[in-house]
Structures are given as structure tokens and as C-alpha cells.
PDB file of all heavy atoms in Angstrom:
ATOM      1  N   TRP P  10     -14.875-144.860 133.009  1.00 97.00           N
ATOM      2  CA  TRP P  10     -15.957-144.115 133.506  1.00 97.00           C
ATOM      3  C   TRP P  10     -17.050-144.968 134.139  1.00 97.00           C
ATOM      4  O   TRP P  10     -17.507-144.767 135.233  1.00 97.00           O
ATOM      5  CB  TRP P  10     -16.588-143.217 132.436  1.00 97.00           C
ATOM      6  CG  TRP P  10     -17.694-142.396 132.900  1.00 97.00           C
ATOM      7  CD1 TRP P  10     -19.057-142.580 132.780  1.00 97.00           C
ATOM      8  CD2 TRP P  10     -17.582-141.138 133.680  1.00 97.00           C
ATOM      9  NE1 TRP P  10     -19.719-141.559 133.374  1.00 97.00           N
ATOM     10  CE2 TRP P  10     -18.844-140.670 133.928  1.00 97.00           C
ATOM     11  CE3 TRP P  10     -16.461-140.386 134.119  1.00 97.00           C
ATOM     12  CZ2 TRP P  10     -19.049-139.511 134.619  1.00 97.00           C
ATOM     13  CZ3 TRP P  10     -16.652-139.281 134.792  1.00 97.00           C
ATOM     14  CH2 TRP P  10     -18.012-138.819 135.050  1.00 97.00           C
ATOM     15  N   ARG P  11     -17.375-146.070 133.456  1.00 97.00           N
ATOM     16  CA  ARG P  11     -18.384-147.006 133.925  1.00 97.00           C
ATOM     17  C   ARG P  11     -17.941-147.713 135.180  1.00 97.00           C
ATOM     18  O   ARG P  11     -18.802-148.202 135.951  1.00 97.00           O
ATOM     19  CB  ARG P  11     -18.835-147.953 132.813  1.00 97.00           C
ATOM     20  CG  ARG P  11     -19.614-147.193 131.772  1.00 97.00           C
ATOM     21  CD  ARG P  11     -20.104-148.156 130.621  1.00 97.00           C
ATOM     22  NE  ARG P  11     -20.973-147.489 129.773  1.00 97.00           N
ATOM     23  CZ  ARG P  11     -21.093-147.635 128.467  1.00 97.00           C
ATOM     24  NH1 ARG P  11     -20.346-148.588 127.927  1.00 97.00           N
ATOM     25  NH2 ARG P  11     -21.967-146.987 127.676  1.00 97.00           N
ATOM     26  N   ALA P  12     -16.624-147.856 135.376  1.00 98.00           N
ATOM     27  CA  ALA P  12     -16.111-148.514 136.513  1.00 98.00           C
ATOM     28  C   ALA P  12     -15.982-147.535 137.713  1.00 98.00           C
ATOM     29  O   ALA P  12     -15.461-147.921 138.787  1.00 98.00           O
ATOM     30  CB  ALA P  12     -14.787-149.143 136.241  1.00 98.00           C
ATOM     31  N   ASN P  13     -16.432-146.344 137.487  1.00 97.00           N
ATOM     32  CA  ASN P  13     -16.414-145.278 138.600  1.00 97.00           C
ATOM     33  C   ASN P  13     -15.017-145.035 139.130  1.00 97.00           C
ATOM     34  O   ASN P  13     -14.799-144.845 140.295  1.00 97.00           O
ATOM     35  CB  ASN P  13     -17.395-145.628 139.735  1.00 97.00           C
ATOM     36  CG  ASN P  13     -18.811-145.600 139.359  1.00 97.00           C
ATOM     37  OD1 ASN P  13     -19.246-144.661 138.662  1.00 97.00           O
ATOM     38  ND2 ASN P  13     -19.567-146.631 139.665  1.00 97.00           N
ATOM     39  N   VAL P  14     -14.065-144.981 138.234  1.00 97.00           N
ATOM     40  CA  VAL P  14     -12.665-144.718 138.641  1.00 97.00           C
ATOM     41  C   VAL P  14     -12.559-143.313 139.114  1.00 97.00           C
ATOM     42  O   VAL P  14     -11.747-143.063 140.023  1.00 97.00           O
ATOM     43  CB  VAL P  14     -11.721-145.002 137.364  1.00 97.00           C
ATOM     44  CG1 VAL P  14     -10.359-144.530 137.605  1.00 97.00           C
ATOM     45  CG2 VAL P  14     -11.686-146.488 137.115  1.00 97.00           C
ATOM     46  N   GLY P  15     -13.253-142.420 138.546  1.00 96.00           N
ATOM     47  CA  GLY P  15     -13.248-141.009 138.973  1.00 96.00           C
ATOM     48  C   GLY P  15     -12.632-140.094 137.874  1.00 96.00           C
ATOM     49  O   GLY P  15     -11.672-140.481 137.202  1.00 96.00           O
ATOM     50  N   ALA P  16     -13.223-138.958 137.725  1.00 97.00           N
ATOM     51  CA  ALA P  16     -12.774-137.974 136.678  1.00 97.00           C
ATOM     52  C   ALA P  16     -11.358-137.582 136.786  1.00 97.00           C
ATOM     53  O   ALA P  16     -10.617-137.535 135.794  1.00 97.00           O
ATOM     54  CB  ALA P  16     -13.681-136.745 136.736  1.00 97.00           C
ATOM     55  N   ASN P  17     -10.867-137.394 138.019  1.00 97.00           N
ATOM     56  CA  ASN P  17      -9.467-136.943 138.179  1.00 97.00           C
ATOM     57  C   ASN P  17      -8.454-137.998 137.745  1.00 97.00           C
ATOM     58  O   ASN P  17      -7.406-137.673 137.146  1.00 97.00           O
ATOM     59  CB  ASN P  17      -9.219-136.521 139.658  1.00 97.00           C
ATOM     60  CG  ASN P  17      -9.871-135.268 140.004  1.00 97.00           C
ATOM     61  OD1 ASN P  17     -10.241-134.450 139.156  1.00 97.00           O
ATOM     62  ND2 ASN P  17     -10.139-135.020 141.325  1.00 97.00           N
ATOM     63  N   VAL P  18      -8.780-139.239 138.026  1.00 97.00           N
ATOM     64  CA  VAL P  18      -7.911-140.348 137.590  1.00 97.00           C
ATOM     65  C   VAL P  18      -7.897-140.412 136.074  1.00 97.00           C
ATOM     66  O   VAL P  18      -6.827-140.563 135.437  1.00 97.00           O
ATOM     67  CB  VAL P  18      -8.331-141.698 138.196  1.00 97.00           C
ATOM     68  CG1 VAL P  18      -7.572-142.808 137.694  1.00 97.00           C
ATOM     69  CG2 VAL P  18      -8.152-141.642 139.742  1.00 97.00           C
ATOM     70  N   ILE P  19      -9.055-140.403 135.486  1.00 97.00           N
ATOM     71  CA  ILE P  19      -9.178-140.464 133.982  1.00 97.00           C
ATOM     72  C   ILE P  19      -8.477-139.286 133.345  1.00 97.00           C
ATOM     73  O   ILE P  19      -7.748-139.484 132.378  1.00 97.00           O
ATOM     74  CB  ILE P  19     -10.668-140.551 133.564  1.00 97.00           C
ATOM     75  CG1 ILE P  19     -11.304-141.876 134.110  1.00 97.00           C
ATOM     76  CG2 ILE P  19     -10.768-140.517 132.032  1.00 97.00           C
ATOM     77  CD1 ILE P  19     -12.823-141.901 133.951  1.00 97.00           C
ATOM     78  N   LEU P  20      -8.643-138.099 133.886  1.00 97.00           N
ATOM     79  CA  LEU P  20      -7.950-136.952 133.383  1.00 97.00           C
ATOM     80  C   LEU P  20      -6.423-137.077 133.416  1.00 97.00           C
ATOM     81  O   LEU P  20      -5.723-136.771 132.438  1.00 97.00           O
ATOM     82  CB  LEU P  20      -8.335-135.618 134.113  1.00 97.00           C
ATOM     83  CG  LEU P  20      -9.795-135.188 133.814  1.00 97.00           C
ATOM     84  CD1 LEU P  20     -10.174-134.087 134.787  1.00 97.00           C
ATOM     85  CD2 LEU P  20      -9.917-134.665 132.364  1.00 97.00           C
ATOM     86  N   GLN P  21      -5.974-137.618 134.496  1.00 96.00           N
ATOM     87  CA  GLN P  21      -4.513-137.861 134.606  1.00 96.00           C
ATOM     88  C   GLN P  21      -3.993-138.865 133.606  1.00 96.00           C
ATOM     89  O   GLN P  21      -2.936-138.693 132.996  1.00 96.00           O
ATOM     90  CB  GLN P  21      -4.137-138.244 136.084  1.00 96.00           C
ATOM     91  CG  GLN P  21      -2.662-138.309 136.291  1.00 96.00           C
ATOM     92  CD  GLN P  21      -1.962-136.983 136.145  1.00 96.00           C
ATOM     93  OE1 GLN P  21      -2.554-135.967 136.476  1.00 96.00           O
ATOM     94  NE2 GLN P  21      -0.714-136.980 135.642  1.00 96.00           N
ATOM     95  N   MET P  22      -4.738-139.893 133.428  1.00 96.00           N
ATOM     96  CA  MET P  22      -4.422-140.975 132.445  1.00 96.00           C
ATOM     97  C   MET P  22      -4.478-140.341 130.989  1.00 96.00           C
ATOM     98  O   MET P  22      -3.569-140.679 130.244  1.00 96.00           O
ATOM     99  CB  MET P  22      -5.423-142.100 132.537  1.00 96.00           C
ATOM    100  CG  MET P  22      -5.210-142.923 133.792  1.00 96.00           C
ATOM    101  SD  MET P  22      -6.338-144.303 133.938  1.00 96.00           S
ATOM    102  CE  MET P  22      -5.728-145.430 132.750  1.00 96.00           C
ATOM    103  N   ILE P  23      -5.376-139.510 130.679  1.00 96.00           N
ATOM    104  CA  ILE P  23      -5.438-138.832 129.368  1.00 96.00           C
ATOM    105  C   ILE P  23      -4.121-138.035 129.184  1.00 96.00           C
ATOM    106  O   ILE P  23      -3.559-138.051 128.085  1.00 96.00           O
ATOM    107  CB  ILE P  23      -6.712-137.951 129.254  1.00 96.00           C
ATOM    108  CG1 ILE P  23      -7.943-138.880 129.132  1.00 96.00           C
ATOM    109  CG2 ILE P  23      -6.583-137.044 128.052  1.00 96.00           C
ATOM    110  CD1 ILE P  23      -9.276-138.146 129.258  1.00 96.00           C
ATOM    111  N   LYS P  24      -3.752-137.259 130.226  1.00 94.00           N
ATOM    112  CA  LYS P  24      -2.571-136.407 130.104  1.00 94.00           C
ATOM    113  C   LYS P  24      -1.255-137.239 129.891  1.00 94.00           C
ATOM    114  O   LYS P  24      -0.342-136.721 129.340  1.00 94.00           O
ATOM    115  CB  LYS P  24      -2.435-135.559 131.419  1.00 94.00           C
ATOM    116  CG  LYS P  24      -3.365-134.431 131.509  1.00 94.00           C
ATOM    117  CD  LYS P  24      -3.126-133.697 132.815  1.00 94.00           C
ATOM    118  CE  LYS P  24      -4.345-132.797 133.160  1.00 94.00           C
ATOM    119  NZ  LYS P  24      -4.400-132.435 134.530  1.00 94.00           N
ATOM    120  N   THR P  25      -1.244-138.518 130.431  1.00 93.00           N
ATOM    121  CA  THR P  25       0.016-139.200 130.436  1.00 93.00           C
ATOM    122  C   THR P  25       0.015-140.334 129.450  1.00 93.00           C
ATOM    123  O   THR P  25       0.854-141.219 129.471  1.00 93.00           O
ATOM    124  CB  THR P  25       0.373-139.736 131.819  1.00 93.00           C
ATOM    125  OG1 THR P  25      -0.741-140.550 132.268  1.00 93.00           O
ATOM    126  CG2 THR P  25       0.554-138.591 132.789  1.00 93.00           C
ATOM    127  N   SER P  26      -0.988-140.411 128.523  1.00 94.00           N
ATOM    128  CA  SER P  26      -1.099-141.516 127.582  1.00 94.00           C
ATOM    129  C   SER P  26      -1.021-140.959 126.148  1.00 94.00           C
ATOM    130  O   SER P  26      -1.229-139.817 125.895  1.00 94.00           O
ATOM    131  CB  SER P  26      -2.450-142.260 127.764  1.00 94.00           C
ATOM    132  OG  SER P  26      -2.518-142.741 129.060  1.00 94.00           O
ATOM    133  N   ASN P  27      -0.792-141.881 125.239  1.00 93.00           N
ATOM    134  CA  ASN P  27      -0.851-141.505 123.790  1.00 93.00           C
ATOM    135  C   ASN P  27      -2.274-141.458 123.405  1.00 93.00           C
ATOM    136  O   ASN P  27      -3.013-142.432 123.625  1.00 93.00           O
ATOM    137  CB  ASN P  27      -0.135-142.594 122.970  1.00 93.00           C
ATOM    138  CG  ASN P  27       1.374-142.557 123.225  1.00 93.00           C
ATOM    139  OD1 ASN P  27       1.962-141.486 123.219  1.00 93.00           O
ATOM    140  ND2 ASN P  27       1.973-143.690 123.253  1.00 93.00           N
ATOM    141  N   PRO P  28      -2.719-140.317 122.790  1.00 94.00           N
ATOM    142  CA  PRO P  28      -4.132-140.222 122.432  1.00 94.00           C
ATOM    143  C   PRO P  28      -4.490-140.910 121.105  1.00 94.00           C
ATOM    144  O   PRO P  28      -3.744-140.904 120.138  1.00 94.00           O
ATOM    145  CB  PRO P  28      -4.325-138.679 122.242  1.00 94.00           C
ATOM    146  CG  PRO P  28      -2.982-138.244 121.790  1.00 94.00           C
ATOM    147  CD  PRO P  28      -1.974-139.121 122.473  1.00 94.00           C
ATOM    148  N   ASP P  29      -5.618-141.710 121.203  1.00 96.00           N
ATOM    149  CA  ASP P  29      -6.092-142.344 119.968  1.00 96.00           C
ATOM    150  C   ASP P  29      -7.671-142.196 120.033  1.00 96.00           C
ATOM    151  O   ASP P  29      -8.350-143.202 120.014  1.00 96.00           O
ATOM    152  CB  ASP P  29      -5.676-143.825 119.910  1.00 96.00           C
ATOM    153  CG  ASP P  29      -6.116-144.395 118.581  1.00 96.00           C
ATOM    154  OD1 ASP P  29      -6.325-143.706 117.593  1.00 96.00           O
ATOM    155  OD2 ASP P  29      -6.326-145.688 118.565  1.00 96.00           O
ATOM    156  N   TYR P  30      -8.137-140.956 120.191  1.00 97.00           N
ATOM    157  CA  TYR P  30      -9.575-140.710 120.454  1.00 97.00           C
ATOM    158  C   TYR P  30     -10.289-140.385 119.129  1.00 97.00           C
ATOM    159  O   TYR P  30      -9.713-139.753 118.246  1.00 97.00           O
ATOM    160  CB  TYR P  30      -9.782-139.546 121.388  1.00 97.00           C
ATOM    161  CG  TYR P  30      -9.023-139.688 122.666  1.00 97.00           C
ATOM    162  CD1 TYR P  30      -7.941-138.870 123.009  1.00 97.00           C
ATOM    163  CD2 TYR P  30      -9.362-140.694 123.538  1.00 97.00           C
ATOM    164  CE1 TYR P  30      -7.291-139.045 124.173  1.00 97.00           C
ATOM    165  CE2 TYR P  30      -8.680-140.918 124.751  1.00 97.00           C
ATOM    166  CZ  TYR P  30      -7.635-140.051 125.096  1.00 97.00           C
ATOM    167  OH  TYR P  30      -6.965-140.233 126.221  1.00 97.00           O
ATOM    168  N   ASP P  31     -11.535-140.775 119.086  1.00 97.00           N
ATOM    169  CA  ASP P  31     -12.443-140.385 118.000  1.00 97.00           C
ATOM    170  C   ASP P  31     -13.191-139.206 118.610  1.00 97.00           C
ATOM    171  O   ASP P  31     -14.017-139.434 119.532  1.00 97.00           O
ATOM    172  CB  ASP P  31     -13.358-141.564 117.646  1.00 97.00           C
ATOM    173  CG  ASP P  31     -14.389-141.123 116.562  1.00 97.00           C
ATOM    174  OD1 ASP P  31     -14.428-139.943 116.215  1.00 97.00           O
ATOM    175  OD2 ASP P  31     -15.141-142.050 116.108  1.00 97.00           O
ATOM    176  N   VAL P  32     -12.933-138.019 118.132  1.00 97.00           N
ATOM    177  CA  VAL P  32     -13.631-136.842 118.720  1.00 97.00           C
ATOM    178  C   VAL P  32     -14.617-136.215 117.663  1.00 97.00           C
ATOM    179  O   VAL P  32     -14.859-135.046 117.675  1.00 97.00           O
ATOM    180  CB  VAL P  32     -12.636-135.776 119.202  1.00 97.00           C
ATOM    181  CG1 VAL P  32     -11.921-136.303 120.477  1.00 97.00           C
ATOM    182  CG2 VAL P  32     -11.601-135.365 118.152  1.00 97.00           C
ATOM    183  N   SER P  33     -15.189-137.135 116.891  1.00 97.00           N
ATOM    184  CA  SER P  33     -16.212-136.734 115.925  1.00 97.00           C
ATOM    185  C   SER P  33     -17.459-136.360 116.725  1.00 97.00           C
ATOM    186  O   SER P  33     -17.605-136.718 117.894  1.00 97.00           O
ATOM    187  CB  SER P  33     -16.506-137.832 114.959  1.00 97.00           C
ATOM    188  OG  SER P  33     -17.074-138.957 115.575  1.00 97.00           O
ATOM    189  N   ALA P  34     -18.337-135.644 116.122  1.00 97.00           N
ATOM    190  CA  ALA P  34     -19.613-135.268 116.817  1.00 97.00           C
ATOM    191  C   ALA P  34     -20.368-136.490 117.354  1.00 97.00           C
ATOM    192  O   ALA P  34     -20.821-136.519 118.509  1.00 97.00           O
ATOM    193  CB  ALA P  34     -20.519-134.488 115.882  1.00 97.00           C
ATOM    194  N   ASN P  35     -20.474-137.507 116.544  1.00 98.00           N
ATOM    195  CA  ASN P  35     -21.205-138.687 116.995  1.00 98.00           C
ATOM    196  C   ASN P  35     -20.601-139.363 118.196  1.00 98.00           C
ATOM    197  O   ASN P  35     -21.293-139.859 119.091  1.00 98.00           O
ATOM    198  CB  ASN P  35     -21.371-139.766 115.817  1.00 98.00           C
ATOM    199  CG  ASN P  35     -22.323-139.314 114.754  1.00 98.00           C
ATOM    200  OD1 ASN P  35     -23.208-138.472 115.039  1.00 98.00           O
ATOM    201  ND2 ASN P  35     -22.195-139.862 113.641  1.00 98.00           N
ATOM    202  N   SER P  36     -19.284-139.423 118.219  1.00 97.00           N
ATOM    203  CA  SER P  36     -18.606-140.065 119.341  1.00 97.00           C
ATOM    204  C   SER P  36     -18.664-139.250 120.617  1.00 97.00           C
ATOM    205  O   SER P  36     -18.918-139.767 121.723  1.00 97.00           O
ATOM    206  CB  SER P  36     -17.096-140.283 119.017  1.00 97.00           C
ATOM    207  OG  SER P  36     -16.964-141.206 118.029  1.00 97.00           O
ATOM    208  N   ILE P  37     -18.654-137.911 120.473  1.00 97.00           N
ATOM    209  CA  ILE P  37     -18.857-137.045 121.605  1.00 97.00           C
ATOM    210  C   ILE P  37     -20.238-137.159 122.210  1.00 97.00           C
ATOM    211  O   ILE P  37     -20.440-137.210 123.408  1.00 97.00           O
ATOM    212  CB  ILE P  37     -18.458-135.592 121.273  1.00 97.00           C
ATOM    213  CG1 ILE P  37     -16.948-135.474 121.061  1.00 97.00           C
ATOM    214  CG2 ILE P  37     -18.958-134.658 122.369  1.00 97.00           C
ATOM    215  CD1 ILE P  37     -16.424-134.193 120.561  1.00 97.00           C
ATOM    216  N   ILE P  38     -21.260-137.244 121.305  1.00 98.00           N
ATOM    217  CA  ILE P  38     -22.613-137.440 121.734  1.00 98.00           C
ATOM    218  C   ILE P  38     -22.756-138.753 122.496  1.00 98.00           C
ATOM    219  O   ILE P  38     -23.418-138.807 123.549  1.00 98.00           O
ATOM    220  CB  ILE P  38     -23.597-137.342 120.546  1.00 98.00           C
ATOM    221  CG1 ILE P  38     -23.612-135.888 119.939  1.00 98.00           C
ATOM    222  CG2 ILE P  38     -24.987-137.837 120.898  1.00 98.00           C
ATOM    223  CD1 ILE P  38     -24.294-135.826 118.596  1.00 98.00           C
ATOM    224  N   GLU P  39     -22.153-139.795 121.950  1.00 97.00           N
ATOM    225  CA  GLU P  39     -22.194-141.074 122.611  1.00 97.00           C
ATOM    226  C   GLU P  39     -21.581-141.075 123.993  1.00 97.00           C
ATOM    227  O   GLU P  39     -22.117-141.606 124.970  1.00 97.00           O
ATOM    228  CB  GLU P  39     -21.404-142.084 121.742  1.00 97.00           C
ATOM    229  CG  GLU P  39     -21.551-143.526 122.183  1.00 97.00           C
ATOM    230  CD  GLU P  39     -20.734-144.429 121.265  1.00 97.00           C
ATOM    231  OE1 GLU P  39     -20.812-144.268 120.004  1.00 97.00           O
ATOM    232  OE2 GLU P  39     -20.045-145.327 121.733  1.00 97.00           O
ATOM    233  N   LEU P  40     -20.439-140.331 124.163  1.00 97.00           N
ATOM    234  CA  LEU P  40     -19.822-140.241 125.482  1.00 97.00           C
ATOM    235  C   LEU P  40     -20.739-139.451 126.433  1.00 97.00           C
ATOM    236  O   LEU P  40     -20.875-139.887 127.610  1.00 97.00           O
ATOM    237  CB  LEU P  40     -18.441-139.542 125.338  1.00 97.00           C
ATOM    238  CG  LEU P  40     -17.375-140.356 124.664  1.00 97.00           C
ATOM    239  CD1 LEU P  40     -16.191-139.458 124.278  1.00 97.00           C
ATOM    240  CD2 LEU P  40     -16.864-141.477 125.560  1.00 97.00           C
ATOM    241  N   ARG P  41     -21.292-138.336 125.955  1.00 97.00           N
ATOM    242  CA  ARG P  41     -22.168-137.579 126.865  1.00 97.00           C
ATOM    243  C   ARG P  41     -23.427-138.416 127.264  1.00 97.00           C
ATOM    244  O   ARG P  41     -23.845-138.310 128.417  1.00 97.00           O
ATOM    245  CB  ARG P  41     -22.618-136.261 126.177  1.00 97.00           C
ATOM    246  CG  ARG P  41     -21.511-135.232 126.122  1.00 97.00           C
ATOM    247  CD  ARG P  41     -21.073-134.784 127.523  1.00 97.00           C
ATOM    248  NE  ARG P  41     -22.053-134.044 128.201  1.00 97.00           N
ATOM    249  CZ  ARG P  41     -22.214-133.966 129.530  1.00 97.00           C
ATOM    250  NH1 ARG P  41     -21.407-134.630 130.306  1.00 97.00           N
ATOM    251  NH2 ARG P  41     -23.167-133.267 130.070  1.00 97.00           N
ATOM    252  N   GLN P  42     -23.947-139.153 126.314  1.00 97.00           N
ATOM    253  CA  GLN P  42     -25.118-139.959 126.662  1.00 97.00           C
ATOM    254  C   GLN P  42     -24.817-141.056 127.664  1.00 97.00           C
ATOM    255  O   GLN P  42     -25.654-141.440 128.408  1.00 97.00           O
ATOM    256  CB  GLN P  42     -25.721-140.592 125.351  1.00 97.00           C
ATOM    257  CG  GLN P  42     -26.447-139.550 124.487  1.00 97.00           C
ATOM    258  CD  GLN P  42     -26.956-140.153 123.155  1.00 97.00           C
ATOM    259  OE1 GLN P  42     -26.478-141.132 122.687  1.00 97.00           O
ATOM    260  NE2 GLN P  42     -27.904-139.427 122.586  1.00 97.00           N
ATOM    261  N   ALA P  43     -23.536-141.438 127.673  1.00 97.00           N
ATOM    262  CA  ALA P  43     -23.110-142.438 128.665  1.00 97.00           C
ATOM    263  C   ALA P  43     -22.816-141.768 130.021  1.00 97.00           C
ATOM    264  O   ALA P  43     -22.508-142.403 131.038  1.00 97.00           O
ATOM    265  CB  ALA P  43     -21.823-143.196 128.163  1.00 97.00           C
ATOM    266  N   GLY P  44     -22.896-140.374 130.035  1.00 97.00           N
ATOM    267  CA  GLY P  44     -22.722-139.650 131.266  1.00 97.00           C
ATOM    268  C   GLY P  44     -21.315-139.204 131.554  1.00 97.00           C
ATOM    269  O   GLY P  44     -21.015-138.730 132.627  1.00 97.00           O
ATOM    270  N   VAL P  45     -20.372-139.355 130.537  1.00 98.00           N
ATOM    271  CA  VAL P  45     -18.996-138.995 130.812  1.00 98.00           C
ATOM    272  C   VAL P  45     -18.904-137.448 131.028  1.00 98.00           C
ATOM    273  O   VAL P  45     -19.566-136.711 130.272  1.00 98.00           O
ATOM    274  CB  VAL P  45     -18.053-139.394 129.569  1.00 98.00           C
ATOM    275  CG1 VAL P  45     -16.732-138.890 129.708  1.00 98.00           C
ATOM    276  CG2 VAL P  45     -18.102-140.908 129.430  1.00 98.00           C
ATOM    277  N   ASP P  46     -18.091-137.075 132.034  1.00 97.00           N
ATOM    278  CA  ASP P  46     -18.072-135.678 132.351  1.00 97.00           C
ATOM    279  C   ASP P  46     -17.480-134.821 131.204  1.00 97.00           C
ATOM    280  O   ASP P  46     -16.569-135.268 130.491  1.00 97.00           O
ATOM    281  CB  ASP P  46     -17.147-135.541 133.599  1.00 97.00           C
ATOM    282  CG  ASP P  46     -17.204-134.148 134.240  1.00 97.00           C
ATOM    283  OD1 ASP P  46     -18.178-133.934 134.930  1.00 97.00           O
ATOM    284  OD2 ASP P  46     -16.314-133.395 133.966  1.00 97.00           O
ATOM    285  N   GLN P  47     -17.976-133.646 131.103  1.00 97.00           N
ATOM    286  CA  GLN P  47     -17.527-132.680 130.027  1.00 97.00           C
ATOM    287  C   GLN P  47     -16.031-132.428 130.131  1.00 97.00           C
ATOM    288  O   GLN P  47     -15.427-132.311 129.085  1.00 97.00           O
ATOM    289  CB  GLN P  47     -18.373-131.432 130.074  1.00 97.00           C
ATOM    290  CG  GLN P  47     -18.142-130.494 128.898  1.00 97.00           C
ATOM    291  CD  GLN P  47     -19.138-129.340 128.909  1.00 97.00           C
ATOM    292  OE1 GLN P  47     -19.988-129.233 129.803  1.00 97.00           O
ATOM    293  NE2 GLN P  47     -18.966-128.470 127.983  1.00 97.00           N
ATOM    294  N   SER P  48     -15.505-132.377 131.290  1.00 97.00           N
ATOM    295  CA  SER P  48     -14.052-132.038 131.448  1.00 97.00           C
ATOM    296  C   SER P  48     -13.187-133.159 130.831  1.00 97.00           C
ATOM    297  O   SER P  48     -12.151-132.903 130.313  1.00 97.00           O
ATOM    298  CB  SER P  48     -13.656-131.811 132.921  1.00 97.00           C
ATOM    299  OG  SER P  48     -13.900-133.040 133.650  1.00 97.00           O
ATOM    300  N   ILE P  49     -13.680-134.393 130.916  1.00 98.00           N
ATOM    301  CA  ILE P  49     -12.971-135.473 130.340  1.00 98.00           C
ATOM    302  C   ILE P  49     -13.000-135.428 128.783  1.00 98.00           C
ATOM    303  O   ILE P  49     -12.001-135.630 128.117  1.00 98.00           O
ATOM    304  CB  ILE P  49     -13.535-136.850 130.827  1.00 98.00           C
ATOM    305  CG1 ILE P  49     -13.214-137.015 132.331  1.00 98.00           C
ATOM    306  CG2 ILE P  49     -12.975-138.036 130.059  1.00 98.00           C
ATOM    307  CD1 ILE P  49     -13.971-138.145 133.005  1.00 98.00           C
ATOM    308  N   ILE P  50     -14.157-135.085 128.247  1.00 97.00           N
ATOM    309  CA  ILE P  50     -14.230-134.976 126.805  1.00 97.00           C
ATOM    310  C   ILE P  50     -13.386-133.851 126.260  1.00 97.00           C
ATOM    311  O   ILE P  50     -12.758-134.014 125.246  1.00 97.00           O
ATOM    312  CB  ILE P  50     -15.790-134.790 126.444  1.00 97.00           C
ATOM    313  CG1 ILE P  50     -16.625-136.038 126.736  1.00 97.00           C
ATOM    314  CG2 ILE P  50     -15.934-134.444 124.955  1.00 97.00           C
ATOM    315  CD1 ILE P  50     -18.090-135.894 126.636  1.00 97.00           C
ATOM    316  N   LEU P  51     -13.364-132.736 127.005  1.00 97.00           N
ATOM    317  CA  LEU P  51     -12.546-131.592 126.586  1.00 97.00           C
ATOM    318  C   LEU P  51     -11.100-132.029 126.639  1.00 97.00           C
ATOM    319  O   LEU P  51     -10.287-131.696 125.751  1.00 97.00           O
ATOM    320  CB  LEU P  51     -12.731-130.432 127.487  1.00 97.00           C
ATOM    321  CG  LEU P  51     -14.072-129.691 127.275  1.00 97.00           C
ATOM    322  CD1 LEU P  51     -14.361-128.643 128.439  1.00 97.00           C
ATOM    323  CD2 LEU P  51     -14.144-128.953 125.935  1.00 97.00           C
ATOM    324  N   ALA P  52     -10.657-132.782 127.619  1.00 97.00           N
ATOM    325  CA  ALA P  52      -9.236-133.235 127.755  1.00 97.00           C
ATOM    326  C   ALA P  52      -8.933-134.165 126.563  1.00 97.00           C
ATOM    327  O   ALA P  52      -7.818-134.119 126.028  1.00 97.00           O
ATOM    328  CB  ALA P  52      -9.036-133.942 129.041  1.00 97.00           C
ATOM    329  N   MET P  53      -9.900-135.012 126.121  1.00 97.00           N
ATOM    330  CA  MET P  53      -9.743-135.900 124.986  1.00 97.00           C
ATOM    331  C   MET P  53      -9.502-135.112 123.741  1.00 97.00           C
ATOM    332  O   MET P  53      -8.619-135.421 122.957  1.00 97.00           O
ATOM    333  CB  MET P  53     -10.931-136.863 124.850  1.00 97.00           C
ATOM    334  CG  MET P  53     -11.048-137.883 125.955  1.00 97.00           C
ATOM    335  SD  MET P  53     -12.653-138.723 125.943  1.00 97.00           S
ATOM    336  CE  MET P  53     -12.549-139.658 124.389  1.00 97.00           C
TER     337      MET P  53
END
């Protein structure tokens, strides 16, 4: 996200990778504060 790869590329990578995400409330807040798009967080 910080490298401005683009939401569509990140979403595709999420779909085709093994997930190892921390989707706790604190982690989601951290991602949103960093500006990560909501669609990416939902895909995670």
C-alpha cells in the first residue's frame, strides 16, 4: 500500500496467496490509520 502498488493489484495478491492476516480490531484500526482502502481490509 505504501509503495502505491494499487488496490486492484493488492486485492489480486490477497486472492491468490495464503492468508496470514491479523484481523483483530487493533490491527484493522492500524491499517485504516495508514490509509489502506476498506476493500482491501474486507478482502483480508
Side-chain angles (χ1 to χ4, degrees):
W10 182 259
R11 289 183 172 146
N13 293 314
V14 170
N17 289 338
V18 173
I19 297 170
L20 287 168
Q21 188 61 34
M22 290 178 74
I23 288 170
K24 286 179 194 161
T25 58
S26 301
N27 291 318
D29 185 27
Y30 305 113
D31 177 356
V32 290
S33 66
N35 286 340
S36 293
I37 290 171
I38 290 166
E39 188 179 315
L40 289 166
R41 284 299 290 152
Q42 287 175 338
V45 175
D46 193 78
Q47 191 172 355
S48 64
I49 293 170
I50 294 170
L51 288 169
M53 291 168 68

